[in-house]
Amino acid sequence: MPAFPGVKALTFDVFGTVLDLGGSLTPHIGTFLSQKQSTVSENEFWQQWRDRQRLEQFQDTIMALGHSGYLETVRRAFVYTLGLNRIQATEDEVTSFLECWQQLSPFPDVAQTLPRLHGHYQLIALSNGDAWFLEHLAANRIQYDFDYIISVDLVGAFKPHPGVYRRAATIAGFESAECMMVSTNSFDVVGARACGMRGAWVNRNQQPYEDTSYRPDVTVDDFTQLAQAIA
């Protein structure tokens, strides 16, 4: 019997939880930096880029000037990180480089674990990604048939906006408490828990959790441990 019998659906974060962003992108970053004769390492550049992208997303939602979309925040953060490291690049070079996001790959533990979890729960991709981009990634990169693929485009705000979690539960036909958010991003788990969802924190990078009372119900290192804990 599952450890959480009241939970009927798992809502999965995609970027960084299902898809290995760093592992997928740093080889492309390394090649780009080499061509630009930059001395910054691909790992340092990636961390700066990722941190800035999250800030872009938060700013986008807080200012409420219209939802820019995930890939636009990726682009803006990339341009910012280029400037931070004094790297010159044309608009065409930026556009060409960012095509590497179409080739994101899942973590190795994903393919074998999703079917096992699907035997107990409905599986929902709930992501900050643009709707068309998520459809591409699910079909061609993750290669898995989720019960629902839900983009924050429907709400017009990035996670952890509460409307994202509530809308996802409504679309899938569940109460919030019947859903468990699965994410490697602690702010995502906090956002879901604050909306009444259960939360599973997949701490792939061994990071500290937020200083908050909204704690995860389950903390694991990867999807293999997740399946052992809840399936």
Side-chain angles (χ1 to χ4, degrees), residues 62-117:
I62 290 169
M63 291 191 295
L65 295 177
H67 184 63
S68 298
Y70 185 84
L71 288 176
E72 173 58 18
T73 66
V74 165
R75 187 198 66 79
R76 291 202 303 252
F78 181 66
V79 170
Y80 177 90
T81 309
L82 290 175
L84 185 65
N85 290 285
R86 307 295 189 268
I87 299 171
Q88 298 293 321
T90 67
E91 185 176 332
D92 285 346
E93 285 177 319
V94 170
T95 299
S96 178
F97 173 75
L98 292 178
E99 290 178 1
C100 64
W101 279 77
Q102 304 298 321
Q103 302 300 316
L104 299 175
S105 296
F107 287 98
D109 55 10
V110 169
Q112 63 184 4
T113 308
L114 289 182
R116 178 178 173 184
L117 293 170

Side-chain angles (χ1 to χ4, degrees), residues 100-147:
C100 64
W101 279 77
Q102 304 298 321
Q103 302 300 316
L104 299 175
S105 296
F107 287 98
D109 55 10
V110 169
Q112 63 184 4
T113 308
L114 289 182
R116 178 178 173 184
L117 293 170
H118 218 162
H120 300 279
Y121 308 96
Q122 285 200 25
L123 303 189
I124 301 167
L126 177 58
S127 174
N128 279 332
D130 308 289
W132 70 266
F133 188 37
L134 294 176
E135 294 287 347
H136 155 68
L137 293 171
N140 302 311
R141 305 305 300 167
I142 305 170
Q143 297 183 335
Y144 196 79
D145 187 18
F146 291 92
D147 293 294

Side-chain angles (χ1 to χ4, degrees), residues 13-21 50 107 184-185 204-205:
D13 171 66
V14 173
F15 300 108
T17 302
V18 174
L19 293 170
D20 181 4
L21 297 189
R50 183 64 167 152
F107 287 98
T184 197
N185 301 304
R204 291 189 181 277
N205 302 312

Side-chain angles (χ1 to χ4, degrees), residues 3-74:
F4 296 92
V7 173
K8 299 177 181 178
L10 304 179
T11 57
F12 288 89
D13 171 66
V14 173
F15 300 108
T17 302
V18 174
L19 293 170
D20 181 4
L21 297 189
S24 300
L25 296 172
T26 49
H28 298 282
I29 295 171
T31 299
F32 180 85
L33 294 175
S34 178
Q35 292 170 346
K36 291 296 183 179
Q37 298 182 323
S38 174
T39 58
V40 67
S41 73
E42 58 266 36
N43 289 325
E44 181 181 2
F45 187 97
W46 164 242
Q47 192 58 61
Q48 293 171 344
W49 185 8
R50 183 64 167 152
D51 289 345
R52 180 66 194 187
Q53 189 210 348
R54 289 195 176 107
L55 179 58
E56 292 284 349
Q57 291 175 182
F58 288 140
Q59 287 182 164
D60 191 284
T61 296
I62 290 169
M63 291 191 295
L65 295 177
H67 184 63
S68 298
Y70 185 84
L71 288 176
E72 173 58 18
T73 66
V74 165

